[in-house]
Amino acid sequence: MAERAARRCCLGWDFSTQQVKVVAVDAELNVFYEDSAHFDRDLQEFGTQGGVHVHEDGLTVTSPVLMWVQALDIILERMKASGFDFSQVLALSGAGQQHGSVYWKAGASQVLRSLSPDLPLHKQLQACFSISDSPVWMDSSTTAQCRQLEAAVGGAQALSCLTGSRAYERFTGNQIAKIYQQNPEAYSHTERISLVSSFAASLFLGSYSPIDCSDGSGMNLLQIKDKVWSRVCLAACAPHLEEKLGSPVPSCSVVGAISSYYVQRYGFPPGCQVVAFTGDNPASLAGMRLEEGDIAVSLGTSDTLFLWLQEPMPALEGHIFCNPVGSQHYMALLCFKNGSLMREKIRDESASCSWSEFSEALRSTEMGNGGNLGFYFDVMEITPEIIGRHRFSAENHKVPAFPRDVEIRALIEGQFMAKRIHAEGLGYRVMPKTKILATGGASHNRDILQVLADVFGAPVYVIDTANSACVGSAYRAFHGLRGPPSTIRQA
């Protein structure tokens, strides 16, 4: 351990739905330490399932704020017990599950400023939150507030043009509006509202950290072009909201030096810098080292596209966020519900439950599938909202079925064509230097990836993103210190 402990490093944190995780990354960008605290396993006293509480209505989903604080205590104590040399930490940054919000009670800032190094954080912050269970991204209880917000700005498209997304139930502005409407007393006792990311950064700063522009883009409150709060959106959600949120900052900002609490309790250097924390999706973009024109495709239960954009075109589907690495650029996120489960269904129906037969069908059919085209949505899709299986012949007639091999290629080509069409609808353009980074279960199938390369006309590389938000946060910490960007962002 002694040899490892001498490395100068940055820490990357991830406050995700099911756990808090940390990695230490050295100056050569090698991960040499990692640990995590799993909520359901390590903090069973909070009674979460999958890190959350699903309420009786089936729509409201929350997580206990103190559980997140105690998870940080657990990891720091484990690091200390392992002999981790905190004195070598130059800077730290982190990620939080997007859209979740934390409500600091009046007087909490004074508690943060005067933390005692003799006690763990969770013992000192017990009375600091006006809402003890934070709404998180899985919550879908704010449909009424979404409609109110869209009406206030002139409709869904107008809101998307302003904030990067139409109103979504999980987005923070709508969650704040619900709390103000249903629990006005708790709202009035709140002196600061943080995202999960800026809440976590505040724990390290010993004072309130500002919200960064990238994670702030997932609130339906930030004007993504001007990078300021939208007055009309704030007014539609709750009174005095701007003062409770504070001013947003660029994602690469150094927001301050680490609190003396960590210097005295764990041995961090007083000069250790805290770089603004951001959302888990923006941090993953940094962790995957995307550059302008690049795409990351996660091929999992649902499929997700990450795009680096220069000139965004907000739409009713997908999300535009401020870019966490290039402050003048943007990123887009597109989610498709019918991913691997749909591929597995067609495999079972048309390839005898065999991936090798599935791959053989892709190899034996030509690019373009002879003009046959199919779109397959066995569950209600979100991009766009549609359900059913829709097959079209080369003559553009709707047909009830395809031969087995044609069906398999129609599925895969249709999935990737839809992704390209929706990406281009948000302003994305394939460039000569474009590369596609694939991850998730289907990224292990070379023949599926060949179709992806054919549809986008770009090379595909397979990457491991198991720790992408954590590692991306450590990269961003180096980036915030003005480490060599060419090193941090190289492919």
Side-chain angles (χ1 to χ4, degrees):
M1 191 69 204
E3 182 273 325
R4 286 186 173 185
R7 296 188 190 185
R8 305 273 275 174
C9 65
C10 285
L11 298 182
W13 295 85
D14 182 17
F15 285 68
S16 69
T17 310
Q18 299 192 49
Q19 63 183 350
V20 172
K21 189 167 192 173
V22 66
V23 297
V25 174
D26 66 19
E28 283 72 50
L29 303 187
N30 299 308
V31 175
F32 68 92
Y33 181 94
E34 61 181 271
D35 199 0
S36 64
H38 193 274
F39 302 140
D40 294 1
R41 183 184 64 236
D42 298 325
L43 291 152
Q44 294 182 22
E45 61 268 33
F46 289 96
T48 58
Q49 290 187 311
V52 301
H53 293 140
V54 179
H55 294 227
E56 285 186 6
D57 62 5
L59 302 174
T60 304
V61 184
T62 60
S63 287
V65 186
L66 282 171
M67 178 179 73
W68 298 335
V69 179
Q70 196 167 337
L72 175 59
D73 284 329
I74 288 171
I75 293 178
L76 287 168
E77 292 300 328
R78 282 184 192 157
M79 293 176 79
K80 185 177 179 180
S82 76
F84 187 89
D85 188 352
F86 291 101
S87 72
Q88 298 298 307
V89 180
L90 301 168
L92 60 87
S93 188
Q97 51 175 297
Q98 282 200 269
H99 315 303
S101 46
V102 174
Y103 299 79
W104 298 90
K105 189 184 289 186
S109 59
Q110 180 57 41
V111 177
L112 276 175
R113 282 196 298 271
S114 53
L115 292 168
S116 165
D118 299 326
L119 292 170
L121 289 170
H122 73 276
K123 296 283 189 187
Q124 303 183 67
L125 299 179
Q126 287 179 347
C128 284
F129 305 103
S130 52
I131 301 286
S132 58
D133 292 290
S134 287
V136 295
W137 66 273
M138 296 167 70
D139 187 284
S140 57
S141 67
T142 63
T143 301
Q145 289 76 18
C146 287
R147 299 294 80 81
Q148 291 163 10
L149 179 57
E150 289 179 346
V153 301
Q157 184 61 53
L159 183 63
S160 183
C161 289
L162 192 64
T163 70
S165 302
R166 66 171 174 83
Y168 283 88
E169 282 81 0
R170 66 186 182 277
F171 274 43
T172 323
N174 308 303
Q175 296 289 339
I176 294 169
K178 177 189 169 186
I179 284 174
Y180 167 66
Q181 292 169 18
Q182 297 187 0
N183 197 347
E185 187 177 3
Y187 181 83
S188 69
H189 292 156
T190 299
E191 69 177 17
R192 185 72 168 218
I193 300 174
S194 296
L195 295 178
V196 176
S197 57
S198 59
F199 150 78
S202 301
L203 297 178
F204 285 102
L205 276 177
S207 60
Y208 293 142
S209 173
I211 292 170
D212 81 292
C213 289
S214 195
D215 205 11
S217 309
M219 301 175 72
N220 279 145
L221 295 177
L222 186 80
Q223 295 178 192
I224 58 169
K225 292 287 176 69
D226 306 321
K227 299 176 175 61
V228 296
W229 300 123
S230 162
R231 294 284 175 85
V232 65
C233 293
L234 294 176
C237 290
H240 313 298
L241 187 48
E242 187 165 15
E243 61 195 64
K244 293 180 191 289
L245 292 174
S247 298
V249 297
S251 301
C252 57
S253 303
V254 173
V255 292
I258 198 165
S259 163
S260 61
Y261 171 85
Y262 299 89
V263 177
Q264 296 169 39
R265 186 175 176 89
Y266 297 107
F268 279 87
C272 174
Q273 300 296 301
V274 178
V275 175
F277 283 36
T278 191
D280 51 4
N281 288 310
S284 291
L285 179 134
M288 292 183 284
R289 309 184 207 180
L290 258 63
E291 297 177 300
E292 185 183 353
D294 289 348
I295 312 169
V297 185
S298 174
L299 300 171
T301 304
S302 58
D303 291 347
T304 305
L305 241 65
F306 295 81
L307 311 166
W308 180 300
L309 298 176
Q310 192 156 9
E311 295 293 335
M313 296 162 52
L316 293 178
E317 285 140 6
H319 311 292
I320 305 287
F321 301 142
C322 298
N323 192 298
V325 180
S327 60
Q328 301 306 308
H329 293 196
Y330 298 86
M331 66 172 281
L333 197 64
L334 280 163
C335 299
F336 301 83
K337 219 170 188 177
N338 289 266
S340 283
L341 295 181
M342 193 68 245
R343 289 185 286 270
E344 289 167 9
K345 274 191 177 182
I346 298 298
R347 175 205 64 188
D348 295 348
E349 294 170 13
S350 299
S352 308
C353 304
S354 164
W355 281 121
S356 60
E357 282 190 33
F358 190 96
S359 293
E360 177 55 36
L362 290 176
R363 289 193 296 271
S364 66
T365 46
E366 61 181 4
M367 188 195 314
N369 210 18
N372 295 295
L373 188 60
F375 299 98
Y376 301 78
F377 313 107
D378 276 13
V379 297
M380 178 61 77
E381 185 51 72
I382 53 176
T383 311
E385 288 188 2
I386 189 172
I387 196 166
R389 298 186 183 187
H390 309 273
R391 302 176 184 86
F392 300 89
S393 68
E395 294 76 32
N396 203 27
H397 298 310
K398 196 158 188 181
V399 295
F402 284 143
R404 285 184 165 198
D405 289 2
V406 173
E407 177 94 329
I408 289 168
R409 179 167 280 277
L411 165 73
I412 301 301
E413 285 190 345
Q415 286 188 330
F416 292 143
M417 287 170 67
K419 289 171 176 54
R420 178 163 180 171
I421 289 165
H422 285 289
E424 291 180 346
L426 292 176
Y428 176 77
R429 296 293 177 266
V430 175
M431 302 169 67
K433 65 174 186 175
T434 290
K435 60 182 180 294
I436 301 172
L437 307 180
T439 185
S443 68
H444 301 297
N445 187 309
R446 187 179 182 88
D447 299 290
I448 290 176
L449 296 187
Q450 184 59 58
V451 178
L452 174 60
D454 293 340
V455 168
F456 279 88
V460 176
Y461 303 88
V462 180
I463 56 170
D464 175 16
T465 58
N467 292 333
S468 60
C470 253
V471 173
S473 296
Y475 291 171
R476 290 181 54 258
F478 277 114
H479 188 238
L481 291 175
R482 295 297 181 264
S486 59
T487 304
I488 292 172
R489 286 178 49 206
Q490 72 184 13

